[in-house]
Structure formats: structure tokens, C-alpha cells
Amino acid sequence: MASVSATDLKGMTQEERVKALGMTTDQLTGRSMYIEFDPDATERFAYPWAPDVDFNKRTELDCDEMTATEVNANIRSLMEEGFGSIVVKNPRGMHSLGVGILNKLNLIIEGSTGYFAVGLIDGPNVRINGRVGWSCGENMMSGTVIVEKNAGSTFGAAIRGGDLVCRGSVGSRTGIDMKGGTIIVGGDTGALSGFMMQRGRMVVCGNAGKNLGDSMYDGTIYIGGDIQSLGVDAVEAELTDLDKAWLTRKLTQYGLMPENGVDHFTKVVAGKQLWNYDNLEPNEKKLIL
């Protein structure tokens, strides 16, 4: 790439500076796409060692006198016994509750949880009838998680699949490093939501804080209210009929469809001007930001 001086870039628009620095002309290398699951497969939708559970077989687990480690161990033991519906009572804001569940399961948590609730999960359907702390659903692979009240910061950090839903409002950095799946927020979200987002969809029915989608690589963010500010390389895009159809279907599914429809939503995507940021010289990086 030819050297570009600060004098040459003076007076150029942001888009012109990006092109002059080779940010949009150099194609990424080493990027590959692969199919993780065979769409024609008719079996083996679960891990080979996963216990066979019956959703009609229901039990309750009172964790009032337990540690988080004991609660999680009991959940696994109950699944080994074939219980497919487990109700956890008296969580009392316990941290790391319901983490690492790699199995089909209906898990109902009656109360509020602390940090890192139901992280590292692959398959269960979870309903939390209270609030959650930081990083709920972190690194979630598949399944559904529905939080009935509010959530803390980094809601859905590094999520890879499934639906993560909060009916209330969430804190800052929602969907940070998001790699797939869907995050839906019924209320507002804080600053730096969608930071370094790579794939997936985020839907916020309310307002968004500062620096929405900062440094996002790919993916889509839909905001139903006001956006305080967009982050670096986050740009507005046209809300298509396909977007509206998907939003209508998804929000209706979770009872979060606005009375005035979805036409007012703002669509935010990556401007893709930072895709080759690492290839720039230090002085060029300063010029592009």
C-alpha cells in the first residue's frame, strides 16, 4: 500500500481517507465459512453423552441452603435421573447459577440471580422470573433464556447462538463480542452495546446509550427508540421488508411487539471501514479514527 501523508489526507472526507489508506480495497484473507450442522440430519441433535430427559417429569430444587456449586451439581444429577423440567427455588441472587448445561432441559428459576447466570449453555430453555446480574448468558450456544425483569451489564457477552431475551432494560456493553444468535431487549440498553460485534442480531425496543455498535465487524442491530450516539464504524442502513418481517415474527414470539409496529426501528450495521485496521501503520491508525 502506498504511503499517505497527513497533508494528502487533509481536506478529505472520512470515506475518502478510508479509501486512500486502502481500508476498503484490500480484501481479507484466511476467512472461511463452514457448516457446523448438517441441515438434512435426522438424529444426533444432542451430545452423545447427554442424558435422556422427559419434559413431563418435573421436580423442584430448593437452593436456600446450598452453594452455587452444589446447586449446579444437583441439576446435573436430576437430569441423569431423567427430569426434564426443574424449578429452582430461593436463588437469592446466587452467582454462576445454571452454568454449563449442555442438554435439553426446561429450567425455571423463581427469583433473581447474580453474575454469570446460565452461561456456557447449549440447549436448555430457561426462564428467570426475577433480575440477573452481569454477563447473563455469556457464551451461550443454543436454546432460549428469558429474563422477566432487568439485567446487568454485558448481557449476552460473546453469545454464539440461541435467543437471549430480557423483558426489562439492560446495562452497558450488551452483546459485547457477539458471535451469533439473537439478543432481544424490551426496554433500554446502555453504552457500548454491540461493541466488537461479529455476527448475529440485537433488538432493543427502547433507547440505546453512547457508542452503539462501536468497532462492530458484522451483524445487525435494531433500535426502536433513540440512539445517543453511534460508535466507530457503525452506520445506519435501510430497514427492508425482510427486516420488518423478521422483527415482527421475533418480537411477537416473545410478546414484545410494539403497539405501533416495527416501521420506526433504526437498523445499524458495520461500515466495514475498519476491516483492515491491523494492517495500517500506527500513524495511519490515528488518521482513520
Side-chain angles (χ1 to χ4, degrees), residues 9 14 21 23 274 276-289:
L9 294 172
Q14 175 76 350
L21 290 169
M23 295 287 289
L274 298 179
N276 295 279
Y277 184 75
D278 289 341
N279 295 333
L280 298 180
E281 298 296 329
N283 63 325
E284 294 173 333
K285 292 181 179 180
K286 294 180 181 178
L287 293 169
I288 201 65
L289 295 177

Side-chain angles (χ1 to χ4, degrees), residues 159-279:
I159 180 177
R160 294 174 178 271
D163 287 356
L164 179 61
V165 182
C166 178
R167 298 193 186 279
S169 294
V170 297
S172 59
R173 301 183 299 281
T174 300
I176 181 173
D177 198 25
M178 184 176 179
K179 297 178 175 67
T182 303
I183 295 176
I184 301 176
V185 178
D188 302 332
T189 188
L192 282 166
S193 292
F195 177 57
M196 295 186 70
M197 181 179 185
Q198 297 179 33
R199 284 183 189 172
R201 292 185 177 108
M202 183 189 304
V203 183
V204 178
C205 296
N207 304 321
K210 295 180 179 179
N211 298 319
L212 177 70
D214 190 87
S215 302
M216 65 186 294
Y217 175 84
D218 213 336
T220 309
I221 303 174
Y222 302 96
I223 305 296
D226 297 326
I227 300 172
Q228 194 164 352
S229 68
L230 293 176
V232 173
D233 208 28
V235 297
E236 292 187 15
E238 178 189 1
L239 189 70
T240 67
D241 290 339
L242 286 175
D243 292 318
K244 295 175 185 179
W246 181 86
L247 283 168
T248 299
R249 184 174 67 253
K250 210 67 173 177
L251 292 175
T252 300
Q253 178 182 351
Y254 293 106
L256 292 172
M257 183 67 179
E259 293 182 1
N260 56 343
V262 297
D263 290 352
H264 63 288
F265 273 78
T266 300
K267 179 180 177 181
V268 177
V269 299
K272 301 181 180 179
Q273 296 181 348
L274 298 179
W275 275 25
N276 295 279
Y277 184 75
D278 289 341
N279 295 333

